[in-house]
Amino acid sequence: MTEHLDHTLRGSWTPTVGTLPPHAAKWLRDRIGLGDVRTPARAPVVPASALDEAARVALDGVVGPGHVRVDRDSRLGRAGGLSYSDLLRQRGDGDLAVPDAVVLPASPEQVVEVLRTCVEHDVAVVPFGGGTSVVGGVTALRGDKAAVIALDLARLDRLVEVDPVSRLAVLQAGLPAPRAERLLAAHGLTTGHVPQSYERATIGGFAATRSAGQASSGYGRFEDLVQGVRLATPVGEWRLGAAPASAAGPDLRQLVVGSEGAFGVITEVALRVRPRPAVERYEGFVVDGWERGSAVVRDLAQRRVLADVTRLSDVDETEVTLALAGGWKVNALKAYLAARGVRRPCLLVLGWHGASEREVRRRRADAVRGRDLVPLGRSLGEAWRHGRFNGPRQRDALMEIGACVETLETATHWSKLSELRLAVREALVDALGRCVVMCHVSHAYETGASLYFTVLAARDATDPIGQWQVAKAAAAEAVAGLGTISHHHAVGTDHAPYLEAEIGRLGLDVLASVKRALDPTGVLNPGKLLAGGTDPAGLASPGDR
Amino acid sequence: MTEHLDHTLRGSWTPTVGTLPPHAAKWLRDRIGLGDVRTPARAPVVPASALDEAARVALDGVVGPGHVRVDRDSRLGRAGGLSYSDLLRQRGDGDLAVPDAVVLPASPEQVVEVLRTCVEHDVAVVPFGGGTSVVGGVTALRGDKAAVIALDLARLDRLVEVDPVSRLAVLQAGLPAPRAERLLAAHGLTTGHVPQSYERATIGGFAATRSAGQASSGYGRFEDLVQGVRLATPVGEWRLGAAPASAAGPDLRQLVVGSEGAFGVITEVALRVRPRPAVERYEGFVVDGWERGSAVVRDLAQRRVLADVTRLSDVDETEVTLALAGGWKVNALKAYLAARGVRRPCLLVLGWHGASEREVRRRRADAVRGRDLVPLGRSLGEAWRHGRFNGPRQRDALMEIGACVETLETATHWSKLSELRLAVREALVDALGRCVVMCHVSHAYETGASLYFTVLAARDATDPIGQWQVAKAAAAEAVAGLGTISHHHAVGTDHAPYLEAEIGRLGLDVLASVKRALDPTGVLNPGKLLAGGTDPAGLASPGDR
């Protein structure tokens, strides 16, 4: 039944690493001095499991024989996520935190029991779904505990309930997104939630990290989909979601969504679902310059005629996209744009989902009519759709030839968007020197939008992790006061030092107090969300910070 | 500059009580045995102020001379909200909780100082905006404190900032809604937030209670509008709202929105605003029967073609509306509907706001086309709009002639909506005997909708408050497990006993832990949100409940 993921595969999660076409390799050599030399990975060090026998036996008693795994491959496969730094560590650069065991419960009830057992045996718990975190969200830190397990939710893979009248579906947390969609498709339904991590990420992970999918403009962010949650905590189970909207106090669902395994383990979510679209249409456009492009996206958002997928690349990202695509078609396109007077082309991909061709045509007309957009046709839009999950594969190929390659993202209100884009860009260029910094908007709201940066440079062979840490810190400093430290990647370990600048000291105190209520001994995901190296469980009193 | 409200006026907040037309009085007499006899109100007892001199002087030092008021009218004017029970207490039935003083700070900074002063002097604080709570949210309870003040936010009445590019406006909490709209109108903007309490309620109150306006289908609930908050707490000021959306942990704004003054005093909010509509069109329709009517509203919501205002009355509410309207037009209407084969008429009011007639016409066509609706024209829609704030005035008139008259509301998912409506209806009829129970849907979502009940009976002269408490408890029991205890009225004192059934013991523990972090001594709004008579400040340890 279960289509288990092979967690021992990293990055692209395909056994074979892709290769770059020759013209792309040449462009990279010219632009950032990247040599086309394979950089060999070393096998990471995997220490012996620190889980003691009593704990192992107790956990075995909860989840059944064979579902507490201490073999090297299982543990290595859950050793961190998919950030550039995680991949470097997996390649033998820097210290890799490896869980002492992988525990696979089969039900929400078993998850509660696993947590109780871990409290009893002083074992830290890292909830593990698809393992696609790019912010250190699943790093196997043990905090002040004796050992740490990866709590792999792969066996919680059921579509529990469908309520077609209310357009609600209850899904278990360990369901990988493609399988969740196949189960829903049997009912003619979809979540519409398609982030770049789609091929591997899980329903629970989406909820735990406040994910946003590529079609968020049409379907909403994941928190907009979540109607109810079932959370296993060390002090028992917590269920929320009596109604679509409520004034019965604060919306506590929004405290669980984004809690990153620090307050509990999400075991089931009730999601708003929609009929699967009969028609999907993707189209490419070009607009002249970032300012004009972002003004178009803003106007679409504020008139509430956004396409379901709306993605605007800046001049640099557009240039790189065209350079890496290469070929005569691109040259013809450039000539065409020059003839149309477009000097600073920015790619705009729009995608509409609908129940009929007529509906999609009408929405397209509402969005495009009377705007200064150069239509490039559907093939470009379809090319984007076809390649939209390829980022990780490309990264694998780039890392193989010695690249420093990573993404980061933020969001802010429209009036600060350009300032924020420039500030982050400048910080990255200052930190990395010769590099390419690309940016796009892929999530737009009436009051603001996201910014997603992709960075490419030659890897520092001596201290590759340090090289990126400096750049990331510079970008985070640039974000502070102008936007959010994360629009959809979450906090994990990597953003935890910057959280106070965003939510204040009182915000940290509130999160810590919620953690104390639900996880009094601090077994849950030490060092994530609430953090600081000195207080990995986030349990220090406010005065200690 | 400030248009101060006269808080000594209750109910309709007009000095004169309306009268019912003769045909309405006759109908009430026939239907529920309500006599047309004026029931005189007695003057409520106002105890001497318990605020000690040291506290008064200290508060005076913070807010300036004249802004700490201990006179009878000021105190009586902030003695509770506008629930039926509150109005009975104001009329001399039952004990009225009267604040010991009314304190009027002039700035967010002064609010922080007032809170610190109250902690120092052991004084409880009830944040007070428009005083329109119908759930006991502003009852002047002192918990375990020596005295209690009403912290009236009337002087925080500025439009702080407008960002037209981001469609954001920062408004102070004490702004009454009509004044906020006038200030925004000068910029061509509106919040679109128009609840029945509009004439008197404040921006801060909307946020504190998770308000939903009559046009929520178009503009969203108030929590959808809130982009940022500024909260004064006894441990300092807390600001949130770096971006329209974020994955930097849980959305803590949603912990402040709906916190009902128990975690802090909201002093400013940043709201998403929209251009004022050039065109508003309201129209009445009839649909045959509740099941068909709610299916129409559900389909509109799920196809995302809801009107901005969408309000479906059940058969009883429709009957009462027509009976109270009276006259030959109504008789003609009934004959017309009978001729069209409509046997169980349910009124459906739809209202569209738009930038142009063309836009509004198109949206109307999208909503109405091909449905089994009998159009009754715009005059009926306009009549609804004209009278949409009249509920409190009608209640005053009804109370004057001895009625028990109150509203309550809930929400649930579509598949449970009819069951919930019948369960609440039955509970109320069982509890009250001869009565009228009316219901409408006025807030619809893809996954569910609200239900708003209005109840009319003859008042029990001996124990009028007890009469309603029994009915309300029966309705609350009927709601438990099927829906939320409140869709937009909030928790206050009245719903606090039912909150655990909805959010669980862990939910209460989480709220209490947040309160401990922000209000360690429990001065803030005792007995609201977190409650139980034995633990009015919500500060007992979990084991004590």
Side-chain angles (χ1 to χ4, degrees), chain A residues 411-413 416 481-485 501-502, chain B residues 227-228 240-246 253:
Chain A
T412 192
H413 297 118
K416 292 186 281 189
L482 277 178
T484 175
I485 192 64
E502 182 158 338
Chain B
Q227 300 276 310
L240 292 168
S246 168
R253 297 174 301 189

Side-chain angles (χ1 to χ4, degrees), chain A residues 150-170:
Chain A
L151 179 64
D152 193 318
L153 295 157
R155 293 170 74 203
L156 271 76
D157 63 350
R158 286 173 50 226
L159 169 59
V160 179
E161 192 186 330
V162 174
D163 173 353
V165 172
S166 308
R167 299 261 173 96
L168 272 177
V170 179

Side-chain angles (χ1 to χ4, degrees), chain A residues 163 246-247 362 366 415 484 486, chain B residues 163 246-247 362 366 415 484 486:
Chain A
D163 173 353
S246 169
R362 190 169 107 171
D366 285 346
S415 59
T484 175
S486 177
Chain B
D163 173 353
S246 168
R362 189 168 109 172
D366 285 346
S415 60
T484 175
S486 176

Side-chain angles (χ1 to χ4, degrees), chain A residues 40-200:
Chain A
R42 293 181 297 273
V45 175
V46 177
S49 170
L51 191 72
D52 69 29
E53 183 62 10
R56 199 194 54 71
V57 169
L59 289 167
D60 226 59
V62 174
V63 297
H67 298 302
V68 179
R69 300 191 188 156
V70 291
D71 62 285
R72 187 181 191 276
D73 278 358
S74 293
R75 292 171 58 209
L76 196 52
R78 281 80 169 181
L82 298 181
S83 71
Y84 170 65
S85 304
D86 284 342
L87 296 182
L88 286 174
R89 292 186 188 104
Q90 282 278 344
R91 294 169 56 94
D93 286 316
D95 293 331
L96 185 67
V98 182
D100 295 304
V102 179
V103 177
L104 294 123
S107 68
E109 293 79 7
Q110 283 191 6
V111 176
V112 174
E113 283 309 306
V114 167
L115 295 182
R116 285 193 183 133
T117 306
C118 287
V119 169
E120 198 182 323
H121 289 270
D122 197 35
V123 173
V125 179
V126 178
F128 201 96
T132 61
S133 173
V134 291
V135 294
V138 291
T139 304
L141 301 179
R142 70 192 63 201
D144 58 358
K145 306 302 166 205
V148 57
I149 61 162
L151 179 64
D152 193 318
L153 295 157
R155 293 170 74 203
L156 271 76
D157 63 350
R158 286 173 50 226
L159 169 59
V160 179
E161 192 186 330
V162 174
D163 173 353
V165 172
S166 308
R167 299 261 173 96
L168 272 177
V170 179
L171 295 129
Q172 288 195 319
L175 271 173
R179 181 163 152 77
E181 290 298 332
R182 278 195 297 278
L183 292 171
L184 289 171
H187 299 266
L189 299 169
T190 180
T191 67
H193 191 75
V194 185
Q196 196 183 55
S197 59
Y198 172 79
E199 291 172 306
R200 186 156 194 163

Side-chain angles (χ1 to χ4, degrees), chain B residues 87-281:
Chain B
L87 297 182
L88 286 175
R89 292 187 188 102
Q90 283 278 343
R91 294 169 57 94
D93 286 315
D95 293 332
L96 185 68
V98 183
D100 295 302
V102 179
V103 177
L104 294 122
S107 67
E109 293 79 7
Q110 282 190 7
V111 177
V112 174
E113 283 309 307
V114 166
L115 295 183
R116 285 192 183 134
T117 306
C118 287
V119 169
E120 198 183 323
H121 291 269
D122 197 35
V123 173
V125 179
V126 178
F128 202 96
T132 62
S133 173
V134 290
V135 293
V138 292
T139 304
L141 301 179
R142 69 193 63 200
D144 58 357
K145 306 301 165 204
V148 55
I149 61 163
L151 179 66
D152 192 319
L153 295 158
R155 293 168 76 202
L156 271 76
D157 64 349
R158 284 174 50 226
L159 170 58
V160 180
E161 193 186 328
V162 174
D163 173 353
V165 173
S166 309
R167 299 264 172 93
L168 272 178
V170 179
L171 295 129
Q172 287 193 320
L175 271 172
R179 181 163 150 78
E181 290 298 331
R182 280 196 297 277
L183 292 170
L184 289 171
H187 299 267
L189 298 169
T190 180
T191 67
H193 191 75
V194 186
Q196 195 183 55
S197 60
Y198 172 80
E199 290 172 307
R200 186 158 193 162
T202 58
I203 295 296
F206 292 150
T209 58
R210 302 185 82 78
S211 172
Q214 290 166 341
S216 75
S217 298
Y219 293 88
R221 292 166 61 85
F222 204 71
E223 70 246 36
D224 302 322
L225 274 57
V226 173
Q227 300 276 310
V229 290
R230 186 172 177 183
L231 187 78
T233 82
V235 293
E237 193 168 71
W238 193 18
R239 286 171 185 250
L240 292 168
S246 168
D251 189 348
L252 295 172
R253 297 174 301 189
Q254 297 304 328
L255 199 57
V256 171
V257 175
S259 59
E260 302 189 26
F263 295 166
V265 180
I266 295 166
T267 56
E268 290 178 2
V269 290
L271 296 183
R272 181 196 78 198
V273 289
R274 290 187 180 160
R276 289 176 69 78
V279 178
E280 295 189 33
R281 175 183 177 136

Side-chain angles (χ1 to χ4, degrees), chain A residues 427-447:
Chain A
L428 289 167
V429 171
D430 280 358
L432 289 168
R434 200 174 173 194
C435 65
V436 176
V437 178
M438 305 170 262
C439 183
H440 64 254
V441 164
S442 46
H443 306 268
Y445 309 90
E446 288 178 66
T447 57

